[in-house]
Amino acid sequence: MKNQFIQALALFTVLFTACSKNESPDPVGTEGKVSIKIGGVSYSDGGTDPKLKLSNTSNTNSPIAIQKASIPFGDELTVLATLSPETSNLSNILRASAGLKMATSPEPLGTGAKYAVAAYNSAGDYVKDSGVLTYTGSGTNWNLTLAPGAYTFVAVAVANGQTFPNINFNQNLANITFDAPGADTDVLWQKQTASVTANQTLSLDLILSHLFTQVQATLESTSANVVGNITSIVGSSMSPNYSTANVHLSDGHFTQGGSSTARSISFSGSGLLWTSSPALIITEGTSAGKVSFGTVTLNAVQNGVRSGLINLSDLNLQKGVKYNLKLRLVPKGAIDVPNSNYYWSSANLTGTAPITLAAAQYLKGSVYSGNGSASYCETAIGTGWRTAAQTEYQSLINKGTVRGSYNGQTGWFLGTSVLPTSNLDNYMFLPDNDFTRSGSGNNDIPTNALGVYWASPTVQGNSKPALILTATSVSIVNIHQNNWAAIRCVKNK
């Protein structure tokens, strides 16, 4: 009986083990899962600061993030131009292997956009692609399974309503190119390499980059009274702009094709500010570019109707970068301090006969006795300019003052309490100067003064107010008219 029991137990054990094996999970898998999402769209900065150059600035080829220039508009006005790439802090954003890094905050791809993603192994051989998909929101993913290993994933997209380019993904990545018929087909691209691990899910959030260049321009008049309201902008264009581009899928680089023709730009606005629609161009980043505002017409209370051409040449617009081009119209020789009711002269008066304007804000200029300053500004710059008065200086002091330097010359910035860096000429800079103390015995210039500027065009008795610069403060005190001080001019808006 005991032997029969042992035999039965052994048989039961064998059967139970066999059943357990049949009911156990499958052996450990050999593939990994990949989930790819299009996380947004951004412009790139090309991996380096754009090399920009305007015709009236230095011919240096060193990289510059922001470039400024001044060009004349008729005999009485100046156009202040600033060309800058749009940037933001996106240090952790996905970078393309070609060195393209994101420069603008990502925006959604947009419902209805067409996109495709393809996967290639470490040798660049084709593995799989998604086909052309329609984007329906941030939750749109492409999911696939792949054997463990290193892969390259490349995504291409176009906006809703645009035709997705004809791309043969099924070949070695290094050999794949495709054509884009004009900049209006705003081609978006991104590449990312990653490793797939068995039994793990790899999630990729791709931020696509625009391949072509965008420029948006604004034109601002700084006074309806002196400069005038903008009433029309006609015949605006931008070049170069090539008709086609042949894009390499492996790195997003492209070669322009066809002929280059100027691209029309449309402006809209009223009063003091007009803005263009964003314009995309295909440019290789090496040919000298040009932005023409065409014929601009102004209507000023003081000066009536006047028109003229505004052209910027010798621009070097880099591939895939978003630029803002801002133009401001000011009287010739003027600084337009933000939120000020006055135009300030761009430098101090210099010379005795004839009296002129110094070439730059940081130059000390000349000094003058108090008796003869009333008409100096109008003689040197033109109608309406005068020696700044105490109340006008005080209006800037109330906005803030900060001591600093400009091109190696120490002094004070007026109109701001924060030391300017890239926008020095948005504020008035008064350099320390070589004033001359009176020998009359009624000096009144503080012994710690580093700079003195007349703060009235007229004498009251035998004295007049003066702006005093020291190492720690800016103040206004009355000094004897026989002192010699600098003059900075002002004009009502």
Side-chain angles (χ1 to χ4, degrees):
M1 176 67 70
K2 183 177 180 180
N3 290 336
Q4 291 177 342
F5 175 79
I6 293 174
Q7 291 175 355
L9 179 60
L11 179 61
F12 177 80
T13 301
V14 171
L15 292 174
F16 179 82
T17 301
C19 291
S20 298
K21 289 182 178 180
N22 290 336
E23 294 175 2
S24 67
D26 290 334
V28 174
T30 58
E31 293 187 324
K33 295 182 179 179
V34 181
S35 179
I36 300 176
K37 181 176 73 172
I38 305 300
V41 181
S42 170
Y43 280 87
S44 77
D45 67 5
T48 183
D49 289 330
K51 295 180 179 179
L52 312 178
K53 184 175 66 176
L54 292 179
S55 57
N56 9 6
T57 61
S58 169
N59 289 327
T60 178
N61 288 323
S62 59
I64 303 174
I66 298 174
Q67 185 66 59
K68 297 185 178 183
S70 298
I71 57 175
F73 184 86
D75 296 330
E76 299 178 343
L77 300 178
T78 298
V79 179
L80 304 178
T82 303
L83 179 66
S84 58
E86 188 169 306
T87 61
S88 64
N89 294 322
L90 292 173
S91 58
N92 294 323
I93 290 295
L94 179 67
R95 294 191 179 191
S97 63
L100 298 177
K101 60 183 178 181
M102 302 302 103
T104 58
S105 299
E107 298 178 353
L109 178 57
T111 300
K114 303 296 183 182
Y115 74 101
V117 184
Y120 299 86
N121 64 19
S122 58
D125 296 327
Y126 170 81
V127 177
K128 193 176 294 186
D129 71 84
S130 65
V132 179
L133 305 174
T134 300
Y135 188 80
T136 58
S138 59
T140 303
N141 286 33
W142 180 46
N143 300 304
L144 65 158
T145 57
L146 295 172
Y151 292 89
T152 297
F153 302 92
V154 185
V156 177
V158 295
N160 183 26
Q162 296 178 348
T163 301
F164 191 86
N166 183 21
I167 307 175
N168 178 12
F169 291 108
N170 190 6
Q171 52 184 316
N172 189 276
L173 180 59
N175 300 327
I176 303 175
T177 64
F178 62 92
D179 292 325
D184 282 333
T185 302
D186 184 12
V187 179
L188 311 170
W189 172 93
Q190 188 55 278
K191 179 175 76 172
Q192 175 68 6
T193 57
S195 294
V196 175
T197 304
N199 294 310
Q200 294 186 17
T201 298
L202 172 65
S203 296
L204 295 180
D205 193 0
L206 299 182
I207 307 297
L208 305 182
S209 178
H210 295 265
L211 293 186
F212 303 143
T213 302
Q214 178 181 299
V215 178
Q216 185 167 26
T218 59
L219 178 64
E220 179 187 5
S221 167
T222 52
S223 167
N225 186 42
V226 178
V227 176
N229 286 313
I230 304 168
T231 57
S232 68
I233 302 177
V234 179
S236 304
S237 63
M238 178 169 48
S239 62
N241 178 42
Y242 291 90
S243 56
T244 63
N246 183 256
V247 182
H248 294 264
L249 187 64
S250 61
D251 55 17
H253 291 170
F254 63 83
T255 303
Q256 74 280 356
S259 59
S260 173
T261 57
R263 169 148 196 167
S264 296
I265 308 173
S266 61
F267 278 84
S268 61
S270 62
L272 299 178
L273 183 65
W274 285 54
T275 303
S276 78
S277 56
L280 283 165
I281 58 172
I282 295 177
T283 175
E284 79 282 35
T286 57
S287 295
K290 178 180 179 181
V291 177
S292 171
F293 282 68
T295 302
V296 177
T297 302
L298 306 170
N299 189 353
V301 174
Q302 287 188 6
N303 301 293
V305 177
R306 48 192 166 174
S307 298
L309 295 172
I310 299 178
N311 295 314
L312 291 173
S313 58
D314 294 333
L315 301 176
N316 189 349
L317 302 173
Q318 299 296 303
K319 293 181 176 181
V321 180
K322 182 178 182 180
Y323 291 96
N324 292 314
L325 177 59
K326 295 184 179 180
L327 276 64
R328 305 175 75 240
L329 285 156
V330 301
K332 186 178 180 180
I335 297 171
D336 181 31
V337 178
N339 302 314
S340 173
N341 294 323
Y342 311 100
Y343 292 115
W344 294 83
S345 62
S346 58
N348 297 327
L349 293 183
T350 186
T352 53
I355 297 173
T356 58
L357 201 63
Q361 282 213 75
Y362 54 81
L363 297 177
K364 294 179 180 180
S366 301
V367 292
Y368 307 86
S369 68
N371 283 322
S373 64
S375 61
Y376 284 171
C377 288
E378 189 163 285
T379 300
I381 312 177
T383 303
W385 289 97
R386 63 186 186 278
T387 303
Q390 180 174 349
T391 54
E392 292 154 356
Y393 272 125
Q394 193 63 52
S395 71
L396 285 188
I397 294 172
N398 293 342
K399 297 177 186 301
T401 60
V402 60
R403 187 159 178 82
S405 64
Y406 189 170
N407 201 33
Q409 173 63 49
T410 57
W412 285 83
F413 288 94
L414 275 62
T416 176
S417 56
V418 178
L419 186 64
T421 53
S422 62
N423 58 342
L424 304 186
D425 285 321
N426 283 1
Y427 305 96
M428 191 171 69
F429 180 77
L430 294 179
D432 301 337
N433 60 14
D434 301 319
F435 55 91
T436 303
R437 297 178 186 272
S438 169
S440 66
N442 298 314
N443 196 326
D444 293 330
I445 295 179
T447 57
N448 61 343
L450 299 174
V452 184
Y453 291 79
W454 290 120
S456 175
T458 59
V459 175
Q460 298 89 39
N462 63 357
S463 67
K464 60 195 288 188
L467 190 78
I468 307 297
L469 308 180
T470 71
T472 58
S473 66
V474 177
S475 60
I476 299 175
V477 300
N478 287 330
I479 64 173
H480 197 278
Q481 66 181 20
N482 290 345
N483 290 289
W484 286 63
I487 295 176
R488 184 61 71 98
C489 304
V490 71
K491 181 177 183 176
N492 286 347
K493 285 188 176 181

